[in-house]
Structures are given as structure tokens and as C-alpha cells.
Amino acid sequence: MAVSIAQRPAAGARFFILTFLTAFIFHHSVAETSTGASASQEQPHRRFEYKYSFKGPHLSQSDGSIPFWIHTGNAIPSADQVRITPSLRSQRGSVWTKNKVAFEHWEAEVTFRVSGRGRMGADGLAVWFTSTQGLDGPVYGAADQWNGVGVFFDSFDNDGKKNNPAIIVVGNNGNLVYDHQNDGTTQALGTCLRDFRNKPYPIRAKITYYKQTLTVMINNGFTPDKEDYEFCTKVDNMIIPNEGFFGISAATGGLADDHDVLSFLLFRLTEPGQQPPPVESEIPKEEKDKYQEEFQNFQQELDKKKEEFQKEHPDVQGEPIEDLYESVNDREIRQVFEGQNRIHLEIKQLNRQLAMILDEQRRYVSVITDEIAKKGTNAESGQVSSQQLGSVIAAQQEVLKNLNDLRNSFFESLKQIGSVQHQGNAGGMGTYETIQHFNDIKEHLHVVKRDVEHLVQRNNPGDKVVKCPEMPAMPSCLSTVHFAIFVVVQSVLFFCYIMYKSQQEAALLYLKKMVLLNKFVLINFRFLI
């Protein structure tokens, strides 16, 4: 018995130790899993690279070139976009970075438009990262057998499978010839069907290459939200050259579209925990010295111009240059006055509309009053109509009174806003009083609304719509028989007039003939004598 009692604490201790070790191992594994998940979810660091990017406004320089980029073929740079190809047949164009890109990880954001009049377009647009510049060629305006990757926005259905427009990712090691007849589907590493032609907003494509994985995200152009991306395709274990050139090309064939690129933004990606190299370390010493010398020359030129300006304008010396610009307080006061001016104009418009409504109401009241005066001595039915008209005119008069009060309130608001606009330094107090007065107007409008609803409920107790009394039918001043007789008499008179006229014309013609005969006889008689 003593042995069994002694064994029970030992067994409980072993069970307790085993439970503790199990719990410790479980919590440790969970902590490691959560730490690994948080590390994997951490986003890479992004740094904008302006030397490999372009966007408007002032995209092109005065000579038509793009800073840090070259354009070839039919590409036309402008201030806010680059038209890679115009909507003409058999056109090719492209833009490429001048310098090589040597980033291990990168992300490119391309904003473009593809627009045309036809239901179908051709041929398409391509975004490139290749070891050499494919300045001209048959693959969307760039060279074939490239070494790198191309993301193609194909808008023409060459194989007739009705799988276009489509976005296709094709890689090449320099030996592959692009399969045009099948739209590159036999060589595609990733693809998705997206219609990118004739959209209300520009299309945005985000192409990310991070840890040997290429991801393509698309903004479909139906919303102005720049971050509204959706997944298109993803290619894992993709190896591309360590150095290369970025480019955008486009081409047209028998059909044509305008291929316009609004911006190309490149970002360098750095893994979490790794600091990107400083910008100064990437600039060669010769360029640093050159930029420093240019800056010093510019500074000297600026100092000389300042001295010349001070000599020519001695009165301006000593005045701070900040006085020439608008301060923060001045800008706030100007914005307050501009807002008050807009409110003033809106209230004026409301005042004019109220005046028109008042005129209409007065006209209706005068018409109803005249009708009551005419029908005041009629029979019982006429008395009922007069009572109904009396209730209607009372309601109209009350509405007129409320509208007059409302118009007076707007007039007072106009006067207050005018006085506030003429006050210089008391802008804050005037604004507060104006806001208070607008709140009073709002309350008054609610009161008018309640009064009108009360009048409607009082005049229509049974929630029945009481129609305005109908005007009695006017008696006809001419019967059908009289009208027929009138028409017959008028027709007879018309025919008699025609006959009389014809007889007069016949008599006149007879007289003319007799006169001519007499003249002929006289002439012959004179000739015989």
C-alpha cells in the first residue's frame, strides 16, 4: 500500500513535465510560424528612378527629345504623352532607355491608351526588358530574337480563336522566333484576356520582377482610381538578364490604332532589411565634379544678376522678397471672400426664382378671385364650388405670405453678406454672423415647409386630393342646323358671284370686239373716200 502511494506522485510529476514540454514546443513552433509569415508579408522597399522614367507635363524638350530616353520610327513625343504609333497603316515606333538598368529587383508602372474607330484594332503594344535595344523589328515594332522578356498587349486576332485583346508574357534567350500566326500562345509563359481598347480612363499596367517572379497587374481603365489593380498573370522561376534596357514599342498593320503612352515609372525594389545603396555612390566622380562646377557657375551668375538688379532698382533694396508673394493669412482671407462671393451669387439666384414664384402665385390668386366674383350668385352647386375656391385662395394667400417672408429673409442675407464683403479686417466675425444667419434661414425654411404641410393636411382632411373646380361648359353659340344653312347660303352666294363675274367679263369682251369692228369700218370708209 505504501508503495502504490509513493508511485502516484512520481507518475503525476512525469505527466506534468511531459505536458509542460509539449506546450513549450507547440508555442515555440507557433511563434516561429508567425514570425516567418510576418517576414514574408513585409513589402520590399521602393525607390523611384527618374533616369529610367518619363511622364507629363513637359515630357519632351524643345528639340523633341525625351530626357534619358531615345525614340525611333514613327514615335512622336509631346508635352504630355508619347504617341508610339499614330492610327495609320503599317506604322512602327518605340522608345528605349539610353542607359542600361542594373537592378536585381524592379517594378515598372506603365500608363497608356489604345484607341481607334474600328471594332477591332491592330497590332498592339509591348513593354520590354532586354539586354540590347530592339530599336526596330517585326515584333510590335521591336526586334525579334531578343534576350529578355516582353509583355505584349495584343489587340489583333491572328489565329482566329477570338482570344484577343489579350496580355501575353513571352521570354526569350535570343534564339526564339516569335510565333505571329498563333499570337504567341505557343510561347507564352503567362496570359490573360483583357480588353484595353477605347476605355474612358487610361490603362495602367504594373509589372513587378521580384525574387525571380514576374507579376503583371492591370487597371482596366473603368475608374479614375490609380490603385485599382487586378491580377493578370504570374510567372515563377523566371531568369532574365542582370542588365538591360527598358523599352515600349507598338505597330499597326492593315488595321490601325493610336498607341499613346502617358507615363513610364520605374522603381528599384530592395528586400526588407537591406538598405538600398545611396544615390551618391551611383554617380561617378567625373559627373559629380561636372555638376558641382555647373552649380557654382549658376550661383555666380545669379549673384551677378542680383547685384545688377539692385543697382538698377535702389528703392527695392532692403525689402524682403517674401512680400512679393501671397502669405498664408492673405490666401485664407482671399478664399473666405471668394466663398462669400459665391454664396452671395447663389442667394441672388434664389431671390430671382422666388420673385418669379411670387408673380405666378399672384396671377393664380387673381384668376381664382375673379372666378369667385363671377360665380358668387349661382345655385347650390355654385356655392359649393365657391367654398372650395375660397379654401384654395386662402391657402394660396398663406403661401404668398410665407414666400414673401422667405424673400425678405434672403434680402436681409444679401445685405449682410454685402456688408461683410466691404469689411476689411472683420472677416472672421462677418463669416460667423453669416453662418448664423444661414442657419436661421434654414430653420425658417423648415418652418415654411411645416406650415405648407399643415395647410395641405387641413385642406385635405381625408388624404384625398381635391381637384380645382372645373369650369362650367360654355354653351354653343351656333347649332348644327344653323351651321349647315350658313354653309349652303354661303356656297350659293359664291356661285352667283362667279356667274355674275363671268357674265361681266363676257360683256366686256363683246364691247371690246364691237369697238374694234367699228374702228375697222371707219378705216375702210376713209380709205374708200
Side-chain angles (χ1 to χ4, degrees):
M1 189 71 177
V3 174
S4 63
I5 295 173
Q7 287 178 352
R8 287 178 185 175
R14 286 196 298 271
F15 178 77
F16 177 77
I17 293 171
L18 182 62
T19 304
F20 176 78
L21 290 174
T22 304
F24 176 78
I25 293 171
F26 175 75
H27 286 293
H28 185 67
S29 62
V30 169
E32 287 181 351
T33 304
S34 61
T35 304
S38 62
S40 61
Q41 293 177 357
E42 191 173 354
Q43 297 296 325
H45 176 76
R46 298 170 79 240
R47 190 177 76 181
F48 176 63
E49 300 291 340
Y50 71 94
K51 287 188 177 182
Y52 309 101
S53 306
F54 64 82
K55 65 176 181 177
H58 312 298
L59 187 150
S60 64
Q61 296 179 340
S62 59
D63 57 353
S65 62
I66 307 172
F68 307 110
W69 290 72
I70 58 174
H71 63 279
T72 61
N74 302 114
I76 306 171
S78 62
D80 54 354
Q81 67 181 19
V82 181
R83 174 153 291 179
I84 307 297
T85 57
S87 56
L88 300 173
R89 295 181 178 180
S90 303
Q91 301 289 300
R92 293 179 181 178
S94 63
V95 290
W96 293 86
T97 57
K98 290 182 179 179
N99 302 318
K100 276 191 174 182
V101 180
F103 303 153
E104 185 179 0
H105 313 298
W106 47 264
E107 183 176 85
E109 295 181 2
V110 189
T111 305
F112 63 92
R113 287 183 184 272
V114 178
S115 55
R117 296 183 178 180
R119 185 177 59 86
M120 297 178 59
D123 283 336
L125 181 139
V127 181
W128 302 91
F129 179 76
T130 57
S131 59
T132 58
Q133 297 171 339
L135 299 179
D136 189 20
V139 184
Y140 302 98
D144 202 349
Q145 296 181 336
W146 68 91
N147 183 16
V149 62
V151 181
F152 305 149
F153 297 85
D154 189 359
S155 56
F156 186 73
D157 192 7
N158 289 288
D159 54 6
K161 295 181 179 180
K162 297 183 180 180
N163 54 355
N164 291 84
I167 302 172
I168 306 168
V169 179
V170 179
N172 199 336
N173 58 359
N175 300 320
L176 185 68
V177 177
Y178 184 65
D179 186 6
H180 279 282
Q181 298 302 322
N182 295 315
D183 290 327
T185 54
T186 58
Q187 304 163 342
L189 302 176
T191 182
C192 67
L193 297 179
R194 294 292 186 276
D195 187 6
F196 47 81
R197 296 182 67 248
N198 298 325
K199 298 304 176 185
Y201 297 97
I203 303 295
R204 298 178 183 275
K206 182 185 290 186
I207 305 169
T208 306
Y209 182 74
Y210 184 65
K211 294 184 178 180
Q212 296 184 355
T213 300
L214 185 76
T215 307
V216 180
M217 306 288 289
I218 295 296
N219 185 325
N220 54 19
F222 286 108
T223 172
D225 186 6
K226 298 180 180 179
E227 298 301 326
D228 187 14
Y229 286 100
E230 60 182 15
F231 177 77
C232 174
T233 185
K234 181 179 180 181
V235 182
D236 295 323
N237 299 322
M238 186 171 190
I239 300 175
I240 61 176
N242 296 327
E243 296 182 354
F245 298 87
F246 280 98
I248 306 172
S249 66
T252 62
L255 301 177
D257 278 336
D258 286 323
H259 298 88
D260 301 325
V261 179
L262 281 68
S263 66
F264 181 91
L265 307 179
L266 184 66
F267 299 88
R268 172 187 287 193
L269 302 182
T270 308
E271 295 184 18
Q274 295 182 3
Q275 293 295 331
V279 181
E280 293 79 7
S281 62
E282 300 178 2
I283 303 176
K285 188 175 183 304
E286 295 78 7
E287 292 189 10
K288 282 185 182 179
D289 297 339
K290 179 182 177 181
Y291 294 150
Q292 187 67 25
E293 184 179 358
E294 290 180 357
F295 175 75
Q296 291 177 358
N297 294 333
F298 176 77
Q299 191 69 28
Q300 293 176 0
E301 291 288 336
L302 183 61
D303 293 338
K304 290 180 180 178
K305 290 182 179 179
K306 282 184 179 179
E307 293 177 358
E308 293 176 357
F309 179 80
Q310 290 178 357
K311 291 178 181 179
E312 294 177 357
H313 304 83
D315 298 336
V316 185
Q317 294 182 5
E319 294 183 3
I321 194 170
E322 289 79 6
D323 294 342
L324 301 176
Y325 301 97
E326 186 180 33
S327 64
V328 177
N329 295 329
D330 294 339
R331 183 169 63 254
E332 291 179 353
I333 292 173
R334 177 177 55 80
Q335 291 174 354
V336 167
F337 282 127
E338 288 178 355
Q340 290 179 350
N341 189 27
R342 287 195 294 269
I343 295 172
H344 183 76
L345 295 176
E346 291 292 334
I347 293 180
K348 274 188 175 181
Q349 183 67 21
L350 288 175
N351 194 11
R352 286 194 293 269
Q353 293 178 358
L354 279 175
M356 295 172 62
I357 294 172
L358 283 171
D359 293 338
E360 291 290 331
Q361 292 291 333
R362 291 193 185 98
R363 190 168 61 85
Y364 294 153
V365 169
S366 63
V367 171
I368 294 173
T369 306
D370 295 340
E371 193 64 30
I372 290 175
K374 292 179 181 179
K375 300 297 180 180
T377 57
N378 283 351
E380 192 174 18
S381 61
Q383 291 178 0
V384 173
S385 299
S386 300
Q387 291 177 0
Q388 292 178 352
L389 289 174
S391 63
V392 171
I393 194 170
Q396 291 288 340
Q397 288 176 351
E398 191 160 356
V399 170
L400 274 175
K401 180 177 178 298
N402 291 328
L403 287 174
N404 278 319
D405 295 339
L406 184 61
R407 186 181 180 187
N408 293 331
S409 299
F410 279 129
F411 186 71
E412 292 295 330
S413 300
L414 286 173
K415 289 173 61 179
Q416 286 193 6
I417 292 178
S419 62
V420 166
Q421 287 180 344
H422 287 294
Q423 292 176 359
N425 298 324
M429 183 62 68
T431 305
Y432 175 75
E433 292 176 356
T434 305
I435 294 172
Q436 288 296 112
H437 191 71
F438 288 157
N439 292 331
D440 296 340
I441 292 174
K442 185 178 178 180
E443 293 295 330
H444 185 71
L445 287 173
H446 286 299
V447 172
V448 172
K449 184 179 178 182
R450 287 196 298 268
D451 292 342
V452 172
E453 291 176 355
H454 177 68
L455 288 172
V456 172
Q457 292 177 0
R458 187 181 65 185
N459 293 329
N460 304 323
D463 292 335
K464 296 180 180 179
V465 178
V466 178
K467 297 182 179 179
C468 293
E470 297 180 357
M471 297 296 292
M474 297 297 292
S476 178
C477 61
L478 186 64
S479 63
T480 306
V481 177
H482 290 86
F483 178 73
I485 294 172
F486 176 75
V487 171
V488 171
V489 172
Q490 188 177 13
S491 301
V492 171
L493 292 175
F494 179 72
F495 285 119
C496 291
Y497 173 75
I498 291 175
M499 292 176 63
Y500 172 76
K501 192 72 174 177
S502 61
Q503 289 178 0
Q504 291 289 333
E505 290 178 353
L508 183 61
L509 181 61
Y510 177 74
L511 290 174
K512 288 182 178 179
K513 289 181 179 179
M514 292 299 294
V515 170
L516 291 174
L517 182 60
N518 292 330
K519 287 183 178 180
F520 179 75
V521 171
L522 289 173
I523 292 171
N524 291 331
F525 180 75
R526 288 178 183 177
F527 178 76
L528 291 174
I529 293 175

